[in-house]
Amino acid sequence: MNSATNASIAVRMQAVNKWYGDFHVLKDIDMVVGQGERVVICGPSGSGKSTAVRCINRLEAHDTGEILVNGIELTDELKNIDVIRRDVGMVFQHFNLFPHLTVLENCTLALRWVRHLSASEAAAKAMHYLERVRIAEQALKFPGQLSGGQQQRVAIARALCMSPKIMLFDEPTSALDPEMVKEVLDTMIQLAADGMTMVCVTHEMGFAREVADRMIFMAEGKVIETAPPEQFFNNPAQERTLKFLNQILN
Amino acid sequence: MTTHESLAARDGGTGGLFATVRKALFSSPLHAVISVASLYLAVTLIWNFLDFALLRAVWTGTSRDACLNENVGGEVGACWPFVQAKLGQFLYGSFPLEERWRVDTTYVLALLVIVPLLIPAAPYKAMNTFFLFVVLPMSAFFLLYGGALLPILQGSLAWLAMLAGGSLILYVVLTGALATSHGMKRGLAGAAALAAGAVLWLLPPLDWLPGLALPVVETKLWGGLMVTMVVAVTGIVGAMPIGIMLVLGRRSSMPLLRYCSVAVVEVVRGIPLITVLFFAIYVLPLFLQDSPDGMVRVLIGVSVFTGAYVSETLRGGLQSIPKGQYESAQALGLNPMLTMTFVIMPQVIRRVIPGLMNNFIGLFKDTTLVSIIGIFDLLGGLRSSFTDPNWATPVSVYTGFAFAGLIYFAFCYCMSRYSMYLEKRLNPER
């Protein structure tokens, strides 16, 4: 593996296995995400897609196999984990905003205490990203006063404030009402257009078709198929993939 | 139907006060019976109390003669001249008359420091907290106890530095942040504070300005409401850090810290406050060479006792924080100590305000147990005033207890209302 190849790989998973007690949740996962690539992971529930993505920033620890993020190996070493988490941002299904802080404070908290920016610098940077997701006018509101779609956009801005190189999305629109799904997907499409490396777990196939460079289909803990969207949707190689697509697209 | 009409239909035709009362109190025969019985009970109790305290009360007089049935010409009510005569004892105990300005000054100082802290909108919270934990204890100690100013400053500053340093180190360890560079820096700062405090403590007393001194008033002369306030405020202020440390220790990944925290909480909760106070007064000196004053030992005992209860209240709140909060903080790169300080603990405290106020209101009334170990609080001062033959009448006891009851009720009610105000103010999203 020469350094040139390494530099262009954002995430590399090799033979990753994970157990929850006796339950084998990830079985020999091999996955590669290049820099600037947009990968969408789909599959039935319980297939391990969220677990695989959460292993990337060590919210879950893998048991065997190797995970490299931006060339750094993910182990129990706190230093490596810290460095990796600096470059990886995550957006959750249930937003996970801090309810006791305003929208602006949600975004500036990590900027002030992890990046050590001054109050004014942090506020300026936060406002820049809040404007980018078009929610700047809500900066002084509390998360509880916002709709679901607005909260998720704040969550995206909050993650972007840390200037990550890779953005992880764990079913970002699954907890939203249909009217609000569009505003979040539009934000994510804009993000993709700006060149962000994205790994997205989602059921939104329209979004996937538009944005993804590559689709990964997982079921029962295994990667079943990997293909660009045209091939994935029109001519899937695996039987299992076809079955899933028939279910979800009807 | 317009809104008005549909609401009127719901409310049974007629609007207004009569209909509301009728619906609320007399909507069914059972409700009517309960309402009548409750009203009768309430009116009887309130009437009897007002009758005793106001209508039949005696307002002026110089000795017991004013409050005797024969002299008043009927059933005598509360004997307020008795309270007026004994007010000094109720408020200050046996504090020397000419030194009582020191107690008043301490009250004013405490109000100036504590009240802004209680108002969420007031600025300079960090400075305010510094005043609460550093300046107020030192000034209160100097004003109430007396002695030479500089040695007292030296001693109390030394102890505060050691406590602060030790607490910071403990906090870093308990939040599991020792391995991070951020935690290391804070830990070293804590160690520096601890060392500085120890050095200051070991230095000989500074005797440069002998003029700046107040006459010493031994703690056995303290009494009345003053003692209640000192014990309650110190207990509340001391219980919060102790409670936070214990609850973090209980959840720590290090078995030794976990077992110690659980042991402390279970033992302290398993024994009555009186036992803790006896332990503090009689057993603690056996462990410490330079045993501190009796009052200080009591304050330690009360703080630890309340701290154990506070830690369990906090633990309930801690368990209600969703895992997603920790995860998003981790994903942002916040280390465990930052997560606990800025994300988790603020949410926990907002959630357990009712429980915490419960602990504190209980503590306020439990302070009266110090009379068992010979320290006179409000009730202690009260009961010693009953022995005065100049004021011994059948109603003195009732008057005294009514007065004390009113004071306790006033304080506890204020705490309760403040709790509700704080809940509304800090939980705008609910």
Side-chain angles (χ1 to χ4, degrees):
Chain A
M1 200 150 329
N2 59 45
S3 56
T5 327
N6 252 350
S8 61
I9 303 286
V11 178
R12 181 194 292 279
M13 281 197 193
Q14 269 180 311
V16 169
N17 281 282
K18 183 175 169 62
W19 287 264
Y20 280 134
D22 283 336
F23 178 56
H24 199 172
V25 60
L26 294 176
K27 300 172 185 158
D28 278 328
I29 303 287
D30 287 310
M31 199 189 292
V32 172
V33 179
Q35 298 286 2
E37 204 182 0
R38 277 92 61 174
V39 169
V40 170
I41 305 177
C42 60
S45 54
S47 55
K49 350 181 258 300
S50 289
T51 312
V53 165
R54 285 155 64 91
C55 284
I56 297 178
N57 67 352
R58 202 66 174 186
L59 287 184
E60 307 279 356
H62 60 283
D63 291 318
T64 70
E66 197 182 58
I67 301 183
L68 282 110
V69 178
N70 286 333
I72 303 170
E73 188 177 346
L74 251 186
T75 58
D76 279 328
E77 255 202 61
L78 233 71
K79 237 168 149 212
N80 286 357
I81 297 177
D82 265 340
V83 171
I84 286 171
R85 282 186 182 155
R86 287 189 150 232
D87 289 333
V88 175
M90 185 153 183
V91 175
F92 299 84
Q93 181 177 356
H94 295 290
F95 330 136
N96 289 339
L97 293 177
F98 305 136
H100 61 294
L101 299 176
T102 62
V103 161
L104 188 64
E105 285 166 349
N106 261 277
C107 296
T108 56
L109 181 67
L111 285 175
R112 297 208 58 199
W113 290 98
V114 179
R115 297 265 193 261
H116 305 294
L117 294 183
S118 75
S120 49
E121 286 171 343
K125 193 159 187 203
M127 284 309 290
H128 166 77
Y129 285 106
L130 287 173
E131 271 153 25
R132 200 164 143 192
V133 302
R134 289 188 301 278
I135 203 155
E137 70 280 2
Q138 313 282 3
L140 296 179
K141 290 240 178 87
F142 288 94
Q145 297 168 299
L146 301 178
S147 73
Q150 290 171 319
Q151 288 187 53
Q152 192 63 295
R153 284 189 282 146
V154 172
I156 295 174
R158 182 178 67 169
L160 288 177
C161 276
M162 301 300 282
S163 310
K165 299 204 189 79
I166 304 169
M167 280 287 275
L168 305 176
F169 292 87
D170 187 3
E171 302 203 38
T173 56
S174 297
L176 295 175
D177 290 339
E179 314 93 65
M180 295 189 270
V181 168
K182 182 177 187 308
E183 65 189 70
V184 175
L185 290 181
D186 284 342
T187 312
M188 289 164 69
I189 291 170
Q190 182 61 49
L191 201 59
D194 292 335
M196 175 68 75
T197 312
M198 288 164 66
V199 179
C200 190
V201 175
T202 187
H203 296 297
E204 296 287 331
M205 291 302 141
F207 166 78
R209 234 192 276 249
E210 187 176 340
V211 159
D213 293 320
R214 205 152 37 92
M215 302 287 301
I216 295 179
F217 174 65
M218 281 181 71
E220 281 106 41
K222 291 206 272 280
V223 172
I224 306 290
E225 185 166 346
T226 304
E230 320 81 52
Q231 189 194 324
F232 184 83
F233 286 109
N234 300 329
N235 205 6
Q238 303 290 333
E239 180 76 38
R240 187 78 182 76
T241 319
L242 195 57
K243 201 164 115 189
F244 172 74
L245 285 173
N246 282 337
Q247 281 175 327
I248 204 165
L249 290 174
N250 290 344
Chain B
M1 247 197 278
T2 66
T3 317
H4 179 79
E5 282 165 335
S6 60
L7 284 177
R10 178 195 73 180
D11 290 337
T14 49
L17 188 60
F18 180 69
T20 321
V21 169
R22 209 185 76 182
K23 187 164 188 288
L25 296 181
F26 300 107
S27 55
S28 82
L30 180 62
H31 285 179
V33 166
I34 294 175
S35 298
V36 167
S38 316
L39 279 170
Y40 175 71
L41 198 62
V43 167
T44 316
L45 284 172
I46 295 176
W47 172 255
N48 279 341
F49 182 73
L50 287 177
D51 187 40
F52 176 80
L54 294 178
L55 295 176
R56 287 186 288 126
V58 175
W59 296 95
T60 57
T62 49
S63 75
R64 64 189 293 268
D65 300 325
C67 297
L68 289 174
N69 283 349
E70 309 84 73
N71 297 0
V72 168
E75 190 79 29
V76 69
C79 188
W80 294 121
F82 162 65
V83 170
Q84 189 182 10
K86 295 288 173 191
L87 198 62
Q89 195 174 345
F90 294 161
L91 296 180
Y92 303 101
S94 312
F95 216 88
L97 275 161
E98 64 277 9
E99 307 293 338
R100 286 183 181 176
W101 64 270
R102 286 155 58 172
V103 180
D104 297 332
T105 316
T106 313
Y107 276 137
V108 169
L109 204 62
L111 278 173
L112 286 175
V113 171
I114 293 177
V115 168
L117 212 50
L118 296 179
I119 303 173
Y124 305 120
K125 281 280 183 289
M127 178 67 89
N128 209 336
T129 315
F130 172 75
F131 267 76
L132 177 70
F133 280 101
V134 177
V135 177
L136 184 61
M138 295 196 329
S139 337
F141 180 53
F142 175 59
L143 281 169
L144 294 176
Y145 188 75
L149 179 61
L150 276 183
I152 287 189
L153 281 185
Q154 177 191 358
S156 43
L157 204 59
W159 271 106
L160 285 168
M162 286 195 273
L163 277 174
S167 306
L168 188 54
I169 296 175
L170 197 58
Y171 188 65
V172 170
V173 170
L174 286 173
T175 50
L178 197 57
T180 66
S181 66
H182 183 254
M184 263 301 202
K185 270 188 251 158
R186 297 290 186 274
L188 284 173
L194 190 63
V199 163
L200 201 58
W201 174 250
L202 293 169
L203 282 178
L206 311 164
D207 285 329
W208 310 327
L209 300 167
L212 224 62
L214 287 174
V216 169
V217 179
E218 295 285 331
T219 56
K220 61 177 187 284
L221 292 176
W222 299 8
L225 187 62
M226 174 199 145
V227 167
T228 305
M229 294 306 292
V230 166
V231 177
V233 171
T234 314
I236 291 173
V237 169
M240 283 307 291
I242 293 178
I244 291 176
M245 295 302 177
L246 284 173
V247 76
L248 291 178
R250 194 159 179 148
R251 299 172 84 244
S252 167
S253 50
M254 283 168 271
L256 183 65
L257 283 174
R258 214 169 41 235
Y259 295 143
C260 281
S261 306
V262 172
V264 168
V265 172
E266 295 305 331
V267 166
V268 170
R269 281 201 311 171
I271 54 182
L273 178 57
I274 297 182
T275 318
V276 173
L277 292 174
F278 270 125
F279 183 88
I281 282 277
Y282 297 118
V283 181
L284 212 57
L286 302 177
F287 294 135
L288 303 170
Q289 268 180 322
D290 212 357
S291 94
D293 188 75
M295 178 62 81
V296 175
R297 282 176 259 154
V298 163
L299 294 177
I300 295 175
V302 168
S303 296
V304 171
F305 184 81
T306 316
Y309 281 81
V310 164
S311 87
E312 286 298 283
T313 307
L314 290 174
R315 189 163 74 92
L318 208 54
Q319 283 173 172
S320 72
I321 303 289
K323 194 153 160 269
Q325 292 293 304
Y326 293 93
E327 287 178 355
S328 56
Q330 275 179 305
L332 286 172
L334 293 165
N335 67 43
M337 191 169 98
L338 290 172
T339 307
M340 190 53 76
T341 313
F342 291 109
V343 176
I344 307 297
M345 268 304 165
Q347 293 185 53
V348 168
I349 291 182
R350 279 164 172 78
R351 288 177 187 218
V352 300
I353 288 172
L356 281 183
M357 269 306 166
N358 207 30
N359 290 133
F360 295 153
I361 291 176
L363 161 65
F364 189 81
K365 297 197 299 273
D366 282 345
T367 57
T368 197
L369 291 172
V370 297
S371 47
I372 303 244
I373 45 174
I375 295 178
F376 284 92
D377 73 310
L378 179 60
L379 281 186
L382 197 70
R383 281 155 73 210
S384 73
S385 72
F386 294 153
T387 59
D388 184 357
N390 194 29
W391 285 99
T393 72
V395 291
S396 301
V397 174
Y398 300 133
T399 314
F401 277 117
F403 179 68
L406 281 172
I407 291 188
Y408 276 118
F409 178 75
F411 276 102
C412 293
Y413 187 68
C414 287
M415 287 166 85
S416 185
R417 295 304 310 189
Y418 174 68
S419 159
M420 286 187 229
Y421 158 75
L422 202 60
E423 276 175 68
K424 275 213 194 70
R425 188 62 182 62
L426 289 184
N427 289 323
E429 68 274 9
R430 290 196 194 282

